[in-house]
Amino acid sequence: EGRTLMPGLIDMHSHMCIRNGMLEFRDNYDQMANGAYVALVLQDYLDQGFTTARDAGCNILGIAKAVNNDIIPGPRLYPSGAFLSQTGGHADTGSFNDVPGDVDDLEAHMFGFIADGVPEVIRAARHNLRAGATQIKVMAGGGVASEFDPLHTTQYSPEELEAIVGVAEDYGTYVLVHAYHDRSVNRAIDAGVRVIDHNFLVSEETIIRMKEEGVALSVQAVMSLEAFGDPESITFFNADQKAKAAQVNTGAQQMMEWAVKHDLLMVTGGDMFGPDVVRQADNIIWFNDKVANDPLLSLKTATSNAAEVLTWTGGMNPYKDGTLGTIVEGGYADIILVDGNPLEDISVIKRDNVDFVMKDGDVYKNWLPGENAPAFKPAKPSREAYFGNL
């Protein structure tokens, strides 16, 4: 009836527990309220047809454990745990008057670890992995939305980055980094980092190196091309943050065009939160319409390409029994139906055209004519899941 059968979509840069920026839940809500909000976000991802998400930093480890044990409904989660950031780095969102040694609320709530020096970063990385992180997220350069780290900065020394990568390798997994420019990206690659998120201000030479060394790129097209294309409209940014957003926008288009030209292994992830959490598919659509002009390539960034990167979690992968991102015998039954043909019009992957969502053989959304299945199917954990062996 004109619908297309597809693998469930995969978002490779989610922040499930960030609402309206990095500070709101730290300052205005407790962890109970945060968790309740996250439960709604998880349902929203499923409604959009996203059956898997890699969370790129925040206190999502307990939620991921509950989802993976079928206690809370949601997409399959590959959590990074707390951000790893140096003092003055992209996850340092304390107050101006903080001094070294202060106990920061972010650390106390496992939102982000401010860790300096090799012993501290080793301990922080191990703590994340102990709690169930499937990969490690490091802030390796300046950012837009933060106060203390200018965009041009390179963060973490080579020794610190190598130590973090060493911990990840010991656990059989990998490191992804937040980085924008040549110096920070190349330092990360030197240390053994396997995925670069953002990457918007690098040269073509760095893109070529990424291709030669098998380093993947995680693209955030809506944030860089749409939101940062009009930074004055971002009301919660100050003047410095708006200037940094405009700078990122100047390099993003060219960087992505080079990435397509040199056939990098690319994945897409929205880096969206707050009101934009309902727009995950737009990141794939913007990448296609503004850069790739290749619907098959664009769809692969959120299906088979994404699944390939998820396999890099190795022994930390909570989903080893089947494959993701493709529809094959022996794979996980993560399947969606969209109304239309995305190879002809990629916009049909938007939520209102997603008529059917199945994750692991369970139907969570069914808008097919004549069907009586519920629009959303909550998890139905066993009595033992609640009460144990009483």
mmCIF file with all atom_site columns, all heavy atoms in Angstrom, residues 204-220:
data_model
loop_
_atom_site.group_PDB
_atom_site.id
_atom_site.type_symbol
_atom_site.label_atom_id
_atom_site.label_alt_id
_atom_site.label_comp_id
_atom_site.label_asym_id
_atom_site.label_entity_id
_atom_site.label_seq_id
_atom_site.pdbx_PDB_ins_code
_atom_site.Cartn_x
_atom_site.Cartn_y
_atom_site.Cartn_z
_atom_site.occupancy
_atom_site.B_iso_or_equiv
_atom_site.pdbx_formal_charge
_atom_site.auth_seq_id
_atom_site.auth_comp_id
_atom_site.auth_asym_id
_atom_site.auth_atom_id
_atom_site.pdbx_PDB_model_num
ATOM 1   N N   . GLU A 1 204 ? 40.564 19.626 4.926  1.00 0.00 ? 204 GLU A N   1
ATOM 2   C CA  . GLU A 1 204 ? 40.392 18.425 4.104  1.00 0.00 ? 204 GLU A CA  1
ATOM 3   C C   . GLU A 1 204 ? 41.476 17.403 4.420  1.00 0.00 ? 204 GLU A C   1
ATOM 4   O O   . GLU A 1 204 ? 41.233 16.194 4.345  1.00 0.00 ? 204 GLU A O   1
ATOM 5   C CB  . GLU A 1 204 ? 40.419 18.782 2.617  1.00 0.00 ? 204 GLU A CB  1
ATOM 6   C CG  . GLU A 1 204 ? 40.089 17.606 1.710  1.00 0.00 ? 204 GLU A CG  1
ATOM 7   C CD  . GLU A 1 204 ? 39.947 17.985 0.246  1.00 0.00 ? 204 GLU A CD  1
ATOM 8   O OE1 . GLU A 1 204 ? 40.312 19.135 -0.113 1.00 0.00 ? 204 GLU A OE1 1
ATOM 9   O OE2 . GLU A 1 204 ? 39.487 17.147 -0.539 1.00 0.00 ? 204 GLU A OE2 1
ATOM 10  N N   . GLU A 1 205 ? 42.670 17.856 4.776  1.00 0.00 ? 205 GLU A N   1
ATOM 11  C CA  . GLU A 1 205 ? 43.754 16.928 5.126  1.00 0.00 ? 205 GLU A CA  1
ATOM 12  C C   . GLU A 1 205 ? 43.370 16.047 6.306  1.00 0.00 ? 205 GLU A C   1
ATOM 13  O O   . GLU A 1 205 ? 43.687 14.845 6.334  1.00 0.00 ? 205 GLU A O   1
ATOM 14  C CB  . GLU A 1 205 ? 45.033 17.712 5.439  1.00 0.00 ? 205 GLU A CB  1
ATOM 15  C CG  . GLU A 1 205 ? 45.709 18.324 4.229  1.00 0.00 ? 205 GLU A CG  1
ATOM 16  C CD  . GLU A 1 205 ? 44.974 19.542 3.681  1.00 0.00 ? 205 GLU A CD  1
ATOM 17  O OE1 . GLU A 1 205 ? 44.165 20.149 4.420  1.00 0.00 ? 205 GLU A OE1 1
ATOM 18  O OE2 . GLU A 1 205 ? 45.206 19.892 2.496  1.00 0.00 ? 205 GLU A OE2 1
ATOM 19  N N   . THR A 1 206 ? 42.685 16.626 7.289  1.00 0.00 ? 206 THR A N   1
ATOM 20  C CA  . THR A 1 206 ? 42.258 15.828 8.434  1.00 0.00 ? 206 THR A CA  1
ATOM 21  C C   . THR A 1 206 ? 41.189 14.824 8.030  1.00 0.00 ? 206 THR A C   1
ATOM 22  O O   . THR A 1 206 ? 41.187 13.674 8.510  1.00 0.00 ? 206 THR A O   1
ATOM 23  C CB  . THR A 1 206 ? 41.753 16.744 9.561  1.00 0.00 ? 206 THR A CB  1
ATOM 24  O OG1 . THR A 1 206 ? 42.853 17.524 10.053 1.00 0.00 ? 206 THR A OG1 1
ATOM 25  C CG2 . THR A 1 206 ? 41.173 15.943 10.718 1.00 0.00 ? 206 THR A CG2 1
ATOM 26  N N   . ILE A 1 207 ? 40.298 15.224 7.139  1.00 0.00 ? 207 ILE A N   1
ATOM 27  C CA  . ILE A 1 207 ? 39.288 14.294 6.634  1.00 0.00 ? 207 ILE A CA  1
ATOM 28  C C   . ILE A 1 207 ? 39.968 13.106 5.942  1.00 0.00 ? 207 ILE A C   1
ATOM 29  O O   . ILE A 1 207 ? 39.583 11.937 6.145  1.00 0.00 ? 207 ILE A O   1
ATOM 30  C CB  . ILE A 1 207 ? 38.333 14.999 5.661  1.00 0.00 ? 207 ILE A CB  1
ATOM 31  C CG1 . ILE A 1 207 ? 37.503 16.058 6.391  1.00 0.00 ? 207 ILE A CG1 1
ATOM 32  C CG2 . ILE A 1 207 ? 37.441 13.994 4.942  1.00 0.00 ? 207 ILE A CG2 1
ATOM 33  C CD1 . ILE A 1 207 ? 36.489 15.508 7.363  1.00 0.00 ? 207 ILE A CD1 1
ATOM 34  N N   . ILE A 1 208 ? 40.987 13.388 5.139  1.00 0.00 ? 208 ILE A N   1
ATOM 35  C CA  . ILE A 1 208 ? 41.711 12.316 4.447  1.00 0.00 ? 208 ILE A CA  1
ATOM 36  C C   . ILE A 1 208 ? 42.372 11.388 5.459  1.00 0.00 ? 208 ILE A C   1
ATOM 37  O O   . ILE A 1 208 ? 42.355 10.162 5.309  1.00 0.00 ? 208 ILE A O   1
ATOM 38  C CB  . ILE A 1 208 ? 42.747 12.920 3.481  1.00 0.00 ? 208 ILE A CB  1
ATOM 39  C CG1 . ILE A 1 208 ? 42.041 13.645 2.332  1.00 0.00 ? 208 ILE A CG1 1
ATOM 40  C CG2 . ILE A 1 208 ? 43.684 11.846 2.931  1.00 0.00 ? 208 ILE A CG2 1
ATOM 41  C CD1 . ILE A 1 208 ? 42.965 14.468 1.449  1.00 0.00 ? 208 ILE A CD1 1
ATOM 42  N N   . ARG A 1 209 ? 42.960 11.961 6.508  1.00 0.00 ? 209 ARG A N   1
ATOM 43  C CA  . ARG A 1 209 ? 43.573 11.116 7.539  1.00 0.00 ? 209 ARG A CA  1
ATOM 44  C C   . ARG A 1 209 ? 42.533 10.230 8.218  1.00 0.00 ? 209 ARG A C   1
ATOM 45  O O   . ARG A 1 209 ? 42.792 9.046  8.482  1.00 0.00 ? 209 ARG A O   1
ATOM 46  C CB  . ARG A 1 209 ? 44.282 11.986 8.588  1.00 0.00 ? 209 ARG A CB  1
ATOM 47  C CG  . ARG A 1 209 ? 44.990 11.125 9.630  1.00 0.00 ? 209 ARG A CG  1
ATOM 48  C CD  . ARG A 1 209 ? 45.567 11.897 10.782 1.00 0.00 ? 209 ARG A CD  1
ATOM 49  N NE  . ARG A 1 209 ? 46.239 10.980 11.696 1.00 0.00 ? 209 ARG A NE  1
ATOM 50  C CZ  . ARG A 1 209 ? 46.640 11.277 12.920 1.00 0.00 ? 209 ARG A CZ  1
ATOM 51  N NH1 . ARG A 1 209 ? 46.455 12.502 13.400 1.00 0.00 ? 209 ARG A NH1 1
ATOM 52  N NH2 . ARG A 1 209 ? 47.223 10.372 13.679 1.00 0.00 ? 209 ARG A NH2 1
ATOM 53  N N   . MET A 1 210 ? 41.353 10.783 8.506  1.00 0.00 ? 210 MET A N   1
ATOM 54  C CA  . MET A 1 210 ? 40.304 9.981  9.124  1.00 0.00 ? 210 MET A CA  1
ATOM 55  C C   . MET A 1 210 ? 39.940 8.794  8.245  1.00 0.00 ? 210 MET A C   1
ATOM 56  O O   . MET A 1 210 ? 39.751 7.674  8.731  1.00 0.00 ? 210 MET A O   1
ATOM 57  C CB  . MET A 1 210 ? 39.074 10.854 9.395  1.00 0.00 ? 210 MET A CB  1
ATOM 58  C CG  . MET A 1 210 ? 39.284 11.901 10.478 1.00 0.00 ? 210 MET A CG  1
ATOM 59  S SD  . MET A 1 210 ? 37.901 13.068 10.640 1.00 0.00 ? 210 MET A SD  1
ATOM 60  C CE  . MET A 1 210 ? 36.612 11.986 11.248 1.00 0.00 ? 210 MET A CE  1
ATOM 61  N N   . LYS A 1 211 ? 39.848 9.022  6.946  1.00 0.00 ? 211 LYS A N   1
ATOM 62  C CA  . LYS A 1 211 ? 39.531 7.935  6.021  1.00 0.00 ? 211 LYS A CA  1
ATOM 63  C C   . LYS A 1 211 ? 40.626 6.882  6.036  1.00 0.00 ? 211 LYS A C   1
ATOM 64  O O   . LYS A 1 211 ? 40.349 5.672  6.109  1.00 0.00 ? 211 LYS A O   1
ATOM 65  C CB  . LYS A 1 211 ? 39.352 8.499  4.608  1.00 0.00 ? 211 LYS A CB  1
ATOM 66  C CG  . LYS A 1 211 ? 39.160 7.429  3.530  1.00 0.00 ? 211 LYS A CG  1
ATOM 67  C CD  . LYS A 1 211 ? 37.892 6.613  3.750  1.00 0.00 ? 211 LYS A CD  1
ATOM 68  C CE  . LYS A 1 211 ? 37.688 5.606  2.629  1.00 0.00 ? 211 LYS A CE  1
ATOM 69  N NZ  . LYS A 1 211 ? 36.476 4.783  2.823  1.00 0.00 ? 211 LYS A NZ  1
ATOM 70  N N   . GLU A 1 212 ? 41.878 7.313  5.960  1.00 0.00 ? 212 GLU A N   1
ATOM 71  C CA  . GLU A 1 212 ? 43.007 6.382  5.904  1.00 0.00 ? 212 GLU A CA  1
ATOM 72  C C   . GLU A 1 212 ? 43.118 5.535  7.169  1.00 0.00 ? 212 GLU A C   1
ATOM 73  O O   . GLU A 1 212 ? 43.531 4.368  7.107  1.00 0.00 ? 212 GLU A O   1
ATOM 74  C CB  . GLU A 1 212 ? 44.308 7.154  5.670  1.00 0.00 ? 212 GLU A CB  1
ATOM 75  C CG  . GLU A 1 212 ? 44.404 7.791  4.288  1.00 0.00 ? 212 GLU A CG  1
ATOM 76  C CD  . GLU A 1 212 ? 45.636 8.666  4.127  1.00 0.00 ? 212 GLU A CD  1
ATOM 77  O OE1 . GLU A 1 212 ? 46.259 9.031  5.157  1.00 0.00 ? 212 GLU A OE1 1
ATOM 78  O OE2 . GLU A 1 212 ? 45.966 9.017  2.984  1.00 0.00 ? 212 GLU A OE2 1
ATOM 79  N N   . GLU A 1 213 ? 42.739 6.106  8.315  1.00 0.00 ? 213 GLU A N   1
ATOM 80  C CA  . GLU A 1 213 ? 42.915 5.397  9.575  1.00 0.00 ? 213 GLU A CA  1
ATOM 81  C C   . GLU A 1 213 ? 41.622 4.778  10.107 1.00 0.00 ? 213 GLU A C   1
ATOM 82  O O   . GLU A 1 213 ? 41.599 4.250  11.220 1.00 0.00 ? 213 GLU A O   1
ATOM 83  C CB  . GLU A 1 213 ? 43.543 6.335  10.609 1.00 0.00 ? 213 GLU A CB  1
ATOM 84  C CG  . GLU A 1 213 ? 44.902 6.863  10.155 1.00 0.00 ? 213 GLU A CG  1
ATOM 85  C CD  . GLU A 1 213 ? 45.713 7.492  11.273 1.00 0.00 ? 213 GLU A CD  1
ATOM 86  O OE1 . GLU A 1 213 ? 45.479 7.121  12.450 1.00 0.00 ? 213 GLU A OE1 1
ATOM 87  O OE2 . GLU A 1 213 ? 46.577 8.332  10.966 1.00 0.00 ? 213 GLU A OE2 1
ATOM 88  N N   . GLY A 1 214 ? 40.548 4.847  9.312  1.00 0.00 ? 214 GLY A N   1
ATOM 89  C CA  . GLY A 1 214 ? 39.308 4.194  9.702  1.00 0.00 ? 214 GLY A CA  1
ATOM 90  C C   . GLY A 1 214 ? 38.586 4.848  10.856 1.00 0.00 ? 214 GLY A C   1
ATOM 91  O O   . GLY A 1 214 ? 37.875 4.179  11.611 1.00 0.00 ? 214 GLY A O   1
ATOM 92  N N   . VAL A 1 215 ? 38.746 6.170  10.989 1.00 0.00 ? 215 VAL A N   1
ATOM 93  C CA  . VAL A 1 215 ? 38.072 6.913  12.055 1.00 0.00 ? 215 VAL A CA  1
ATOM 94  C C   . VAL A 1 215 ? 36.709 7.355  11.547 1.00 0.00 ? 215 VAL A C   1
ATOM 95  O O   . VAL A 1 215 ? 36.590 7.915  10.449 1.00 0.00 ? 215 VAL A O   1
ATOM 96  C CB  . VAL A 1 215 ? 38.902 8.129  12.488 1.00 0.00 ? 215 VAL A CB  1
ATOM 97  C CG1 . VAL A 1 215 ? 38.156 8.955  13.522 1.00 0.00 ? 215 VAL A CG1 1
ATOM 98  C CG2 . VAL A 1 215 ? 40.253 7.672  13.036 1.00 0.00 ? 215 VAL A CG2 1
ATOM 99  N N   . ALA A 1 216 ? 35.669 7.102  12.321 1.00 0.00 ? 216 ALA A N   1
ATOM 100 C CA  . ALA A 1 216 ? 34.305 7.437  11.908 1.00 0.00 ? 216 ALA A CA  1
ATOM 101 C C   . ALA A 1 216 ? 33.964 8.872  12.286 1.00 0.00 ? 216 ALA A C   1
ATOM 102 O O   . ALA A 1 216 ? 34.521 9.447  13.227 1.00 0.00 ? 216 ALA A O   1
ATOM 103 C CB  . ALA A 1 216 ? 33.310 6.478  12.538 1.00 0.00 ? 216 ALA A CB  1
ATOM 104 N N   . LEU A 1 217 ? 33.007 9.442  11.554 1.00 0.00 ? 217 LEU A N   1
ATOM 105 C CA  . LEU A 1 217 ? 32.509 10.793 11.793 1.00 0.00 ? 217 LEU A CA  1
ATOM 106 C C   . LEU A 1 217 ? 31.047 10.724 12.196 1.00 0.00 ? 217 LEU A C   1
ATOM 107 O O   . LEU A 1 217 ? 30.233 10.097 11.515 1.00 0.00 ? 217 LEU A O   1
ATOM 108 C CB  . LEU A 1 217 ? 32.652 11.642 10.521 1.00 0.00 ? 217 LEU A CB  1
ATOM 109 C CG  . LEU A 1 217 ? 31.940 12.999 10.516 1.00 0.00 ? 217 LEU A CG  1
ATOM 110 C CD1 . LEU A 1 217 ? 32.535 13.926 11.569 1.00 0.00 ? 217 LEU A CD1 1
ATOM 111 C CD2 . LEU A 1 217 ? 31.986 13.633 9.128  1.00 0.00 ? 217 LEU A CD2 1
ATOM 112 N N   . SER A 1 218 ? 30.714 11.397 13.299 1.00 0.00 ? 218 SER A N   1
ATOM 113 C CA  . SER A 1 218 ? 29.325 11.522 13.740 1.00 0.00 ? 218 SER A CA  1
ATOM 114 C C   . SER A 1 218 ? 28.855 12.936 13.432 1.00 0.00 ? 218 SER A C   1
ATOM 115 O O   . SER A 1 218 ? 29.398 13.913 13.951 1.00 0.00 ? 218 SER A O   1
ATOM 116 C CB  . SER A 1 218 ? 29.210 11.229 15.236 1.00 0.00 ? 218 SER A CB  1
ATOM 117 O OG  . SER A 1 218 ? 27.904 11.491 15.708 1.00 0.00 ? 218 SER A OG  1
ATOM 118 N N   . VAL A 1 219 ? 27.829 13.049 12.559 1.00 0.00 ? 219 VAL A N   1
ATOM 119 C CA  . VAL A 1 219 ? 27.399 14.334 11.993 1.00 0.00 ? 219 VAL A CA  1
ATOM 120 C C   . VAL A 1 219 ? 26.141 14.839 12.689 1.00 0.00 ? 219 VAL A C   1
ATOM 121 O O   . VAL A 1 219 ? 25.195 14.069 12.914 1.00 0.00 ? 219 VAL A O   1
ATOM 122 C CB  . VAL A 1 219 ? 27.126 14.175 10.479 1.00 0.00 ? 219 VAL A CB  1
ATOM 123 C CG1 . VAL A 1 219 ? 26.567 15.463 9.905  1.00 0.00 ? 219 VAL A CG1 1
ATOM 124 C CG2 . VAL A 1 219 ? 28.394 13.768 9.749  1.00 0.00 ? 219 VAL A CG2 1
ATOM 125 N N   . GLN A 1 220 ? 26.118 16.132 12.994 1.00 0.00 ? 220 GLN A N   1
ATOM 126 C CA  . GLN A 1 220 ? 24.944 16.799 13.549 1.00 0.00 ? 220 GLN A CA  1
ATOM 127 C C   . GLN A 1 220 ? 24.550 17.937 12.593 1.00 0.00 ? 220 GLN A C   1
ATOM 128 O O   . GLN A 1 220 ? 24.964 19.089 12.761 1.00 0.00 ? 220 GLN A O   1
ATOM 129 C CB  . GLN A 1 220 ? 25.218 17.344 14.952 1.00 0.00 ? 220 GLN A CB  1
ATOM 130 C CG  . GLN A 1 220 ? 25.489 16.270 15.993 1.00 0.00 ? 220 GLN A CG  1
ATOM 131 C CD  . GLN A 1 220 ? 26.861 15.625 15.821 1.00 0.00 ? 220 GLN A CD  1
ATOM 132 O OE1 . GLN A 1 220 ? 27.864 16.306 15.652 1.00 0.00 ? 220 GLN A OE1 1
ATOM 133 N NE2 . GLN A 1 220 ? 26.898 14.295 15.841 1.00 0.00 ? 220 GLN A NE2 1
#
